[in-house]
Amino acid sequence: MRARREFRDRRDVEVAVLDALVDRAGDGMTVFEVRAAVDADIDEIEDALAALKRDGLISVENGDDDRVVILVADRVVPDPAEAQDEERGLVDALRDRLGL
């Protein structure tokens, strides 16, 4: 799943981190899991995490098993109907608009 549209105008690595965290919104991810999911070097990921935390889009908490996990803010996670609309694509939107 992808982060909500209004959060996609950030740097590519920040968007990739948000997308990875949205996929695991309930459980969160460790830094190592984020690093494995995002195709960027650790310095870029650290900068992205710092920017996202500063903007209130992620939080860092201790998990149940004393792991430090990164959680995405609820406002970043799209509702299921919104996610389906984004996946439909441009052609489907044009068909609907033209009544085809």
Side-chain angles (χ1 to χ4, degrees), residues 2-20:
R2 296 166 41 135
R4 292 180 84 143
R5 186 175 304 138
E6 59 262 31
F7 300 105
R8 303 196 69 75
D9 63 346
R10 307 179 70 86
R11 291 183 24 230
D12 289 344
V13 68
E14 291 176 23
V15 173
V17 169
L18 285 176
D19 287 345

Side-chain angles (χ1 to χ4, degrees), residues 53-89:
K53 186 171 184 196
R54 182 182 59 245
D55 293 343
L57 300 178
I58 63 171
S59 62
V60 179
E61 298 179 8
N62 286 331
D64 295 334
D65 54 357
D66 291 329
R67 296 181 325 154
V68 175
V69 294
I70 303 163
L71 299 166
V72 67
D74 290 338
R75 64 190 174 137
V76 179
V77 179
D79 62 11
E82 181 181 331
Q84 288 176 354
D85 285 344
E86 282 187 23
E87 292 175 6
R88 290 184 48 221

Side-chain angles (χ1 to χ4, degrees), residues 11-14 16-17 31-32 34-50:
R11 291 183 24 230
D12 289 344
V13 68
E14 291 176 23
V17 169
V31 172
F32 296 114
V34 171
R35 187 173 182 198
V38 175
D39 186 26
D41 67 44
I42 190 66
D43 292 329
E44 289 178 306
I45 292 172
E46 286 179 2
D47 291 343
L49 290 171

